[in-house]
Every structure is written in C-alpha cells, then in structure tokens.
Amino acid sequence: GENVEQHPSTLSVQEGDSAVIKCTYSDSASNYFPWYKQELGKRPQLIIDIRSNVGEKKDQRIAVTLNKTAKHFSLHITETQPEDSAVYFCAANTQGAQKLVFGQGTRLTINP
Amino acid sequence: DSGVTQTPKHLITATGQRVTLRCSPRSGDLSVYWYQQSLDQGLQFLIHYYNGEERAKGNILERFSAQQFPDLHSELNLSSLELGDSALYFCASSVYPGQRGGREQFFGPGTRLTVL
C-alpha cells in the first residue's frame, strides 16, 4: 500500500545550525508533498508544500527539495532557532489525491 | 485559529462504550478528513469526505464510522471502544483537492479520547 518513510525520528542541533529531514514515498502518482509542524499539545500546521512540477521551493529559512525519480523529498531549515523545536511531519497525497499519508514524524530539538 | 472546530475537547469513557466526535470545517471547505494520533505516533489517516460523499478510506476499523452532513459538519463514531483506541483524533478541512494535486489541510484542535 501507500507508504511514507521519514528519517530521522529525532534530531538535535545547535541553535544557528541547519537541520535536514528526509522522506521517501511509494506511490509514483503522488504529486503533492506538504510538511507540517506540530508543537507540543497543538494542532499540526502547514509550514511549506511542494508540487511534483517543481524541484525546489523556499520560504525564508525553510526549503523543500523533491526528487521525483528517486521518490524522495527533504525539508531544510537554516539558522535554526529555539522556536523551531517541534515535531515535523512530511506527507504525500495518494489515491487520486484524495488521501494524505504522513510520515512518522521527526522530533527536532534546538539546543541554545 | 484554523477555523476548524472540534467538540468535545476531552472525552473519558469506558471500554465497550460508544462515542461521537464532531467537527465543523472552515467556512467554504467541502472536504473533511479524520486522523488518529496515538501517543508519540504519527497521523494515521482514517477517512475523507467531500460534500457528503466518502472519497477515501484509510485503515479505519469496522467499529469506526463517519459521515458528513448537508451543513458540511462531520461526525466520527467510535463503538465497542478498546483501551487501544485512546488517542488524539484530529479533523482537518480543505477545499476539494481535485486530481491535479492537494490543497492545504487545516487542522482542528483535536479531541483527546481516553478509554479506561
């Protein structure tokens, strides 16, 4: 069935350094790849998304890259700050875009 | 505030019982999605409704069912509850994703279900 694998499950970086989270997907028909941030006790919120007709997208300190051939996509956060500490989820759409399958999440900790 | 509302916020019940979780989507959104998030787990897709019709189903247990009403609010019914059903249940809404790609899903605050 459809599957999204996310690595690493935990990531700890020093404030100011970069963080990279990687995901792979199984459905070659997937064409939408969002990233969500979930702070403790809060709802997931979209931070950036990318569609299959684009290889890279950037929004200030956050960027996402997509390699359709290899079926993987990555989230890059530069100049990390303490407020970036959260759980990050990648996702891919499937079943004719009617369903989002989420990765297992990455708990990112920014050390001051 | 995402504009998606969910009630109740917390629910504590016993094994074997039945509960109903309610979700109201953002104004104008016709798609509603339900997710289950167990402790330290990811978001497990349960079901997607669009304008009253079921559009996709995940690994939703037969004890679980959902519907979307004409006013677009949705309800998730969980029956014969087991301890393992304890989780955070999120509802999300979006405009219709179509076939060409997805749309941002806006999540509600969730309902925390505890089965004792």
Side-chain angles (χ1 to χ4, degrees):
Chain A
E2 312 96 352
N3 192 40
V4 175
E5 295 284 337
Q6 182 172 348
H7 299 281
S9 56
T10 60
L11 181 60
S12 183
V13 301
Q14 288 298 120
E15 183 178 352
D17 287 350
S18 296
V20 180
I21 303 170
K22 299 182 179 184
C23 290
T24 58
Y25 60 98
S26 61
D27 186 355
S28 56
S30 295
N31 58 10
Y32 176 66
F33 308 90
W35 286 87
Y36 282 81
K37 176 183 180 182
Q38 186 178 27
E39 296 177 358
L40 192 62
K42 301 280 182 67
R43 73 191 79 194
Q45 289 189 284
L46 182 76
I47 54 170
I48 196 167
D49 56 13
I50 191 167
R51 300 183 190 281
S52 58
N53 58 347
V54 174
E56 184 173 357
K57 184 176 178 181
K58 195 171 180 181
D59 182 4
Q60 298 183 352
R61 298 186 297 108
I62 294 173
V64 58
T65 58
L66 171 65
N67 182 326
K68 281 177 58 180
T69 304
K71 289 195 276 188
H72 70 69
F73 56 113
S74 302
L75 177 72
H76 304 252
I77 306 174
T78 58
E79 299 171 16
T80 53
Q81 301 167 4
E83 52 265 37
D84 294 330
S85 293
V87 178
Y88 291 80
F89 293 98
C90 64
N93 68 344
T94 186
Q95 283 191 23
Q98 303 302 310
K99 173 181 173 179
L100 266 187
V101 177
F102 283 81
Q104 287 303 298
T106 296
R107 184 176 299 279
L108 175 64
T109 302
I110 308 301
N111 302 307
Chain B
D1 186 357
S2 65
V4 179
T5 60
Q6 288 186 250
T7 57
K9 201 168 186 176
H10 300 279
L11 199 49
I12 301 174
T13 188
T15 54
Q17 295 298 304
R18 183 180 193 274
V19 297
T20 297
L21 313 184
R22 183 188 169 104
C23 167
S24 292
R26 286 190 326 154
S27 177
D29 285 352
L30 271 62
S31 274
V32 171
Y33 310 80
W34 286 97
Y35 295 90
Q36 179 191 57
Q37 186 175 42
S38 301
L39 193 63
D40 286 338
Q41 293 293 308
L43 292 153
Q44 300 298 318
F45 170 80
L46 295 177
I47 201 160
H48 167 204
Y49 272 87
Y50 169 73
N51 203 21
E53 291 185 5
E54 181 185 306
R55 284 304 174 113
K57 223 169 183 177
N59 293 327
I60 187 168
L61 299 171
E62 283 192 18
R63 301 184 285 110
F64 295 3
S65 65
Q67 54 184 326
Q68 186 180 27
F69 295 86
D71 67 352
L72 301 177
H73 91 271
S74 178
E75 292 181 358
L76 179 67
N77 300 295
L78 314 176
S79 61
S80 302
L81 285 168
E82 302 175 359
L83 295 177
D85 297 327
S86 295
L88 195 51
Y89 290 84
F90 283 106
C91 158
S93 76
S94 76
V95 298
Y96 182 59
Q99 295 296 320
R100 295 176 59 191
R103 296 290 183 270
E104 178 176 0
Q105 292 188 15
F106 294 86
F107 282 76
T111 292
R112 183 166 296 284
L113 173 66
T114 302
V115 182
L116 301 175

